[in-house]
Amino acid sequence: MTQLVRVHNFGVSQDGYAAGEGQSLERPFGHADPQTLLGWALGTASWPGRADGGGSRGLEDYLVREFHRDIGAEIMGRNKFGPQRGPWTDHEWQGWWGDEPPFHTPVFVMTHHERPSFTLSDTTFHFLGGDPATVLARALEAADGKDVRLGGGATTVRQFLDAGLVDTLHVSVAPLELGGGTRLWDSPDELLDRYHRDVVPGRDGVVHHLFWRD
């Protein structure tokens, strides 16, 4: 079976930004509100941690469930791991997710400043330099035959897209403009020379773009 590189539930604004300006420890998305960008996912029945028996079903619930299906490793950029820049000054910082990260697989963090790996619950974080192809080779090996999820942020996803290393991509476009920040694209049409696409309306004005290649 071919291992795939998959992007799931990646939220952007109508003007193509996945995060706003001014990222900090208190505001991982900068001036953007993650509830606005990704509120469609939070409202589904399968959102992790939901205990009230409620939530929506249908396509958006399916997209949330797909996030974990057959995933053996995750790749993310350093800005998704945390707000620090430059050499690491505090190895006590272990990400925004607390003692139970939601990944449940090895995670490979792309960075120019490597640091020792560490494990939280069933997730081990590794910090790697190198280009997308080099990092992907490590992740595919660690995934043990399963797929690799490319988690973001926008700069990292774009690097993998430009290198031709993404097999499937789901981007949800929220009905707002951010005006600045970290941008995935100027237009989703930029990818049509490389991918097939379906466009599906969601709740509350969200539009889901589903890309795949042969």
Side-chain angles (χ1 to χ4, degrees):
M1 295 292 290
T2 300
Q3 291 175 275
L4 300 178
V5 178
R6 296 156 41 190
V7 177
H8 286 281
N9 307 337
F10 194 80
V12 303
S13 61
Q14 286 182 329
D15 49 351
Y17 292 98
E21 297 172 333
Q23 183 193 42
S24 67
L25 183 63
E26 295 75 24
R27 297 187 66 86
F29 285 77
H31 79 280
D33 180 359
Q35 295 275 350
T36 304
L37 280 177
L38 294 167
W40 67 268
L42 304 179
T44 62
S46 297
W47 182 255
R50 179 177 291 281
D52 59 8
S56 65
R57 298 287 182 178
L59 172 67
E60 291 180 325
D61 190 58
Y62 168 80
L63 292 171
V64 169
R65 294 198 307 273
E66 280 290 285
F67 180 84
H68 287 295
R69 182 188 60 79
D70 202 37
I71 293 293
E74 162 127 354
I75 296 171
M76 67 173 65
R78 181 171 174 179
N79 289 6
K80 180 175 178 179
F81 178 80
Q84 299 92 342
R85 304 292 184 269
W88 298 96
T89 59
D90 180 9
H91 283 198
E92 295 300 314
W93 168 256
Q94 296 184 323
W96 274 299
W97 304 283
D99 294 332
E100 296 285 340
F103 308 107
H104 312 296
T105 68
V107 174
F108 294 87
V109 181
M110 294 182 65
T111 174
H112 295 297
H113 301 277
E114 298 183 12
R115 59 179 277 187
S117 302
F118 64 83
T119 299
L120 293 172
S121 185
D122 57 356
T123 297
T124 298
F125 291 89
H126 306 279
F127 300 84
L128 300 180
D131 60 16
T134 300
V135 175
L136 178 58
R138 286 283 305 275
L140 288 169
E141 181 180 10
D144 195 24
K146 294 184 177 182
D147 294 344
V148 171
R149 182 174 55 236
L150 182 58
T155 300
T156 300
V157 172
R158 192 72 213 199
Q159 287 177 333
F160 276 75
L161 285 169
D162 291 344
L165 297 175
V166 178
D167 296 296
T168 67
L169 174 74
H170 163 225
V171 179
S172 60
V173 179
L176 79 157
E177 294 193 358
L178 291 176
T182 308
R183 196 172 218 158
L184 177 66
W185 57 36
D186 291 321
S187 167
D189 294 346
E190 294 170 10
L191 303 183
L192 295 183
D193 62 335
R194 287 164 278 174
Y195 293 92
H196 307 287
R197 177 182 62 176
D198 278 341
V199 180
V200 183
R203 294 181 300 117
D204 301 324
V206 172
V207 178
H208 298 282
H209 293 254
L210 307 171
F211 297 89
W212 73 97
R213 61 184 182 183
D214 293 329

